[in-house]
């Protein structure tokens, strides 16, 4: 069974640019959530999608947005990048809603110069 | 304010030297507490879910316990392959998930 796949794995952007990250969940999983991981703040919840609907949203500015497609694949977008957006962005899928068992991808490491 | 605190930040153990990692939490309505393991360059890997005080879960050399204010991850006779960062996460009654910043465990042969 294939795991959660995130692309790209690494990317470098400059301030003011925008970026789109992609996540393919485990086959059959309909819930996808996104997290930002930094050394100082740890893992912080961005948003969660289930069946193309955003179920929950963390405390991030509107520059951070996401969506989920009918095949459960998800994308997140960050516009007007700032230096502080440099982080590892992790996607996790869940077989249902609130099962508690998240399966994480290996992440997309974003560096903003 | 909902908060999850893990201690210590880093722990070095000799192979076979048992110890415990702590996760204390202050949240409004605990729905579940989760332990994950994260290796460098990888995403976190699910270990355990605990739902109520007094509950215990075990897997190989790891045992997780839960009280009303904290959880412990006990590591018995650790091996070098147990070296990783261990993350604790708490789901609140409002369906929000908060992670601690982790304990970086190093087991020396």
């Amino acid at each position: 069974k294939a795991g959660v796949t995130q692309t790209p794995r690494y990317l470098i952007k400059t301030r003011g640019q925008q970026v789109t990250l992609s996540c393919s969940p485990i086959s059959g999983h309909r819930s996808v959530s996104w997290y930002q991981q930094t050394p100082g703040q740890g893992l912080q919840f961005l948003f969660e999608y289930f069946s193309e609907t955003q179920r929950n949203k963390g405390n991030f500015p509107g520059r951070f947005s996401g969506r989920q497609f009918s095949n459960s694949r998800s994308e997140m977008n960050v516009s007007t990048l700032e230096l502080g957006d440099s982080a590892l962005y992790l996607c996790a899928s869940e077989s249902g809603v609130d099962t508690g068992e998240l399966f994480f991808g290996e992440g997309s490491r974003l560096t903003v110069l | 304010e909902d908060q999850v605190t893990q201690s210590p930040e880093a722990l070095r153990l000799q192979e076979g030297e048992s110890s415990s990692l702590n996760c204390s939490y202050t949240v409004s309505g605990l729905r579940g507490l989760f332990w994950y393991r994260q290796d460098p360059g990888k995403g976190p890997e699910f270990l355990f879910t605990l739902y109520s005080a007094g509950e215990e879960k075990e897997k190989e050399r790891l045992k997780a316990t839960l009280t009303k204010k904290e959880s412990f991850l006990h590591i018995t006779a650790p091996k070098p392959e147990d070296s990783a960062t261990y993350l604790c996460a708490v789901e609140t009654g409002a369906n929000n998930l908060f992670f601690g910043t982790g304990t970086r465990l190093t087991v020396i042969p």
Side-chain angles (χ1 to χ4, degrees):
Chain A
K1 195 174 188 181
V4 176
T5 304
Q6 290 189 245
T7 57
R9 289 292 314 279
Y10 304 92
L11 64 166
I12 300 173
K13 294 285 187 178
T14 56
R15 280 183 301 174
Q17 287 187 310
Q18 67 112 24
V19 67
T20 299
L21 310 177
S22 179
C23 172
S24 293
I26 292 172
S27 177
H29 286 195
R30 294 165 63 190
S31 175
V32 172
S33 51
W34 289 89
Y35 297 83
Q36 181 193 66
Q37 187 174 34
T38 58
Q41 298 292 321
L43 267 159
Q44 292 186 285
F45 171 72
L46 282 157
F47 22 68
E48 179 191 2
Y49 289 88
F50 181 80
S51 293
E52 302 179 67
T53 301
Q54 188 178 90
R55 284 190 73 228
N56 211 347
K57 189 176 190 301
N59 190 25
F60 277 81
R63 299 185 297 109
F64 292 80
S65 62
R67 59 178 175 169
Q68 187 181 32
F69 302 95
S70 58
N71 62 358
S72 294
R73 192 177 70 84
S74 178
E75 288 182 348
M76 68 162 281
N77 184 78
V78 188
S79 62
T80 321
L81 284 166
E82 300 177 359
L83 296 178
D85 296 333
S86 294
L88 180 67
Y89 290 87
L90 290 161
C91 167
S93 75
E94 199 172 356
S95 58
V97 171
D98 296 337
T99 65
E101 185 173 347
L102 300 178
F103 293 85
F104 284 86
E106 295 194 329
S108 293
R109 183 164 295 282
L110 170 66
T111 302
V112 181
L113 302 176
Chain B
E1 182 185 340
D2 296 322
Q3 197 166 9
V4 179
T5 304
Q6 291 188 247
S7 62
E9 285 188 18
L11 181 63
R12 288 172 66 89
L13 298 173
Q14 289 292 135
E15 185 172 0
E17 179 187 2
S18 301
S19 188
S20 297
L21 282 54
N22 177 263
C23 170
S24 62
Y25 59 90
T26 308
V27 297
S28 47
L30 175 73
R31 291 196 62 186
L33 185 142
F34 313 98
W35 283 97
Y36 287 83
R37 168 193 170 127
Q38 186 172 23
D39 293 298
K42 305 279 188 181
E45 176 188 347
F46 172 79
L47 292 173
F48 304 110
T49 305
L50 301 166
Y51 291 108
S52 56
E55 190 174 357
E56 298 182 352
K57 293 273 180 74
E58 280 189 74
K59 180 179 179 180
E60 296 180 359
R61 295 176 292 282
L62 300 176
K63 178 180 175 180
T65 61
L66 180 64
T67 72
K68 287 187 177 179
K69 293 184 178 181
E70 59 191 349
S71 176
F72 291 94
L73 184 65
H74 307 278
I75 303 177
T76 303
K79 298 181 177 182
E81 52 262 41
D82 294 323
S83 297
T85 295
Y86 290 86
L87 298 167
C88 165
V90 170
E91 184 173 15
T92 70
N95 292 323
N96 293 317
L97 191 64
F98 294 93
F99 278 83
T101 51
T103 293
R104 189 173 64 255
L105 174 67
T106 304
V107 182
I108 305 160

